[in-house]
Amino acid sequence: MIEWELCFGPAERVDPDHLRRARGEFLEMPGLRLTSAQAQRLWALEPTTCETLLAALVAEKFLRRTPDGAFTRADSGTPGR
């Protein structure tokens, strides 16, 4: 882990435009459910960048990770689905 990463949370390591776009997609389509690979393709991101983006959105409780590894809005649906 890079030393500066210890000082900042996940959102500070993500491009603000990527965060805005991802939030926008999930807000526009409340039932949206994406795997990491699908998110990478949708947003044309490198795997590491996408994982960091998704982790930041989970850390801020905007998204949650389902038991099968998909990502969905934290305030949508039944937990565990």
Side-chain angles (χ1 to χ4, degrees):
M1 180 178 284
I2 299 172
E3 217 172 285
W4 64 268
E5 288 180 343
L6 297 173
C7 300
F8 301 100
E12 286 82 13
R13 295 188 299 263
V14 179
D15 182 321
D17 290 334
H18 292 161
L19 286 168
R20 261 191 301 283
R21 180 166 183 203
R23 282 189 200 109
E25 297 279 357
F26 280 97
L27 288 169
E28 214 171 281
M29 297 176 273
L32 184 62
R33 183 182 157 84
L34 296 172
T35 65
S36 181
Q38 290 169 328
Q40 287 173 43
R41 287 190 300 274
L42 178 63
W43 301 319
L45 297 174
E46 295 294 322
T48 304
T49 302
C50 191
E51 287 296 330
T52 303
L53 169 65
L54 293 169
L57 293 170
V58 169
E60 68 183 35
K61 301 200 182 338
F62 180 79
L63 295 182
R64 65 180 172 86
R65 192 167 201 162
T66 65
D68 64 357
F71 293 88
T72 188
R73 273 194 23 208
D75 64 355
S76 69
T78 306
R81 281 197 70 194

